[in-house]
Amino acid sequence: DTSRKIRAVFNAKGKSGKPLSNHPPYGYMRDLEDGQRWIIDEEAAVNVREAFHMCMQGFGPSQIANAFTERHILTPKAYAKSKGRKYCGRSEIIDDYTWATATVFHMLSRPEYAGHTANFKTYRKSFKNKKMLMRDPSEWVIFENTHEAIIDQETYDTVQRIRDGRRRWTPMGEMPILSGMMFCA
């Protein structure tokens, strides 16, 4: 009964346009006056803008991650730790300067960087099951222009088209399960 009530509260909050995430994405920080509002963290936003521009120039997530690693740019988790903030994200980093390809891939696919709030990206089948499941992006509830954008909408859309074009489709028009994970020599 309590679980149903908590879900109802989260549903109402998510449908009102407020972000459901406890932690803002890399490149943003919480406003000190209004904890629900995100403001741009210029120091980190420079790296986000650079990742999007490198993708537009034809670099893939692994190439961008390698470039950030070579230039000794702090990873999102290490950057948050250095600023005294909590970071809720992937934790597969080796050290503070080793960027993972998955981190860059995740960064390039987030609509939050274009100034939108995307709610209901994940769900759990039951309060007993702690495993988070990803929803299809068509099921996300997106509220446009809820906070200041790090990149403009045109750049975001261009990067999404570039990223979608890199996947290989089967002759029947379906996406293979291992598409983009295995490469033929």
Side-chain angles (χ1 to χ4, degrees), residues 110-167:
R110 292 192 80 153
E112 287 88 349
Y113 291 122
H116 311 314
T117 297
N119 288 334
F120 307 114
K121 292 197 265 185
T122 60
Y123 70 99
R124 290 188 177 134
K125 287 186 177 180
S126 167
F127 71 94
K128 297 175 188 175
N129 187 354
K130 301 300 179 199
K131 185 177 179 183
M132 295 291 282
L133 301 170
M134 294 297 294
R135 290 186 198 268
D136 188 61
S138 63
E139 297 177 24
W140 295 357
V141 179
I142 298 177
F143 297 92
E144 296 186 353
N145 303 320
T146 55
H147 53 273
E148 193 175 354
I150 291 179
I151 56 155
D152 58 295
Q153 184 65 40
E154 185 179 327
T155 303
Y156 177 78
D157 291 338
T158 304
V159 167
Q160 300 318 302
R161 278 194 303 275
I162 290 170
R163 298 296 313 137
D164 285 342
R166 301 236 175 163
R167 296 187 183 104

Side-chain angles (χ1 to χ4, degrees), residues 13-152:
K13 182 180 176 185
K15 288 179 181 175
S16 71
K18 293 180 182 173
L20 292 177
S21 172
N22 290 332
H23 306 285
Y26 178 69
Y28 286 102
M29 62 183 178
R30 286 197 183 280
D31 190 356
L32 297 176
E33 298 166 8
D34 179 14
Q36 294 289 325
R37 201 168 145 254
W38 295 345
I39 56 174
I40 295 177
D41 181 2
E42 279 302 327
E43 193 176 338
V46 170
N47 299 327
V48 173
R49 287 185 194 106
E50 186 172 356
F52 275 88
H53 290 299
M54 287 177 76
C55 184
M56 287 183 65
Q57 293 171 355
F59 292 95
S62 60
Q63 294 167 320
I64 296 169
N66 291 339
F68 283 2
T69 301
E70 288 172 8
R71 292 183 18 221
H72 290 286
I73 295 174
L74 284 172
T75 62
K77 184 175 186 174
Y79 179 77
K81 205 185 315 179
S82 74
K83 296 294 183 182
R85 299 183 209 141
K86 291 182 181 178
Y87 178 75
C88 181
R90 292 167 167 63
S91 60
E92 72 266 357
I93 61 170
I94 298 165
D95 64 30
D96 290 348
Y97 300 101
T98 303
W99 282 71
T101 303
T103 304
V104 177
F105 179 81
H106 186 65
M107 182 189 303
L108 293 174
S109 64
R110 292 192 80 153
E112 287 88 349
Y113 291 122
H116 311 314
T117 297
N119 288 334
F120 307 114
K121 292 197 265 185
T122 60
Y123 70 99
R124 290 188 177 134
K125 287 186 177 180
S126 167
F127 71 94
K128 297 175 188 175
N129 187 354
K130 301 300 179 199
K131 185 177 179 183
M132 295 291 282
L133 301 170
M134 294 297 294
R135 290 186 198 268
D136 188 61
S138 63
E139 297 177 24
W140 295 357
V141 179
I142 298 177
F143 297 92
E144 296 186 353
N145 303 320
T146 55
H147 53 273
E148 193 175 354
I150 291 179
I151 56 155
D152 58 295

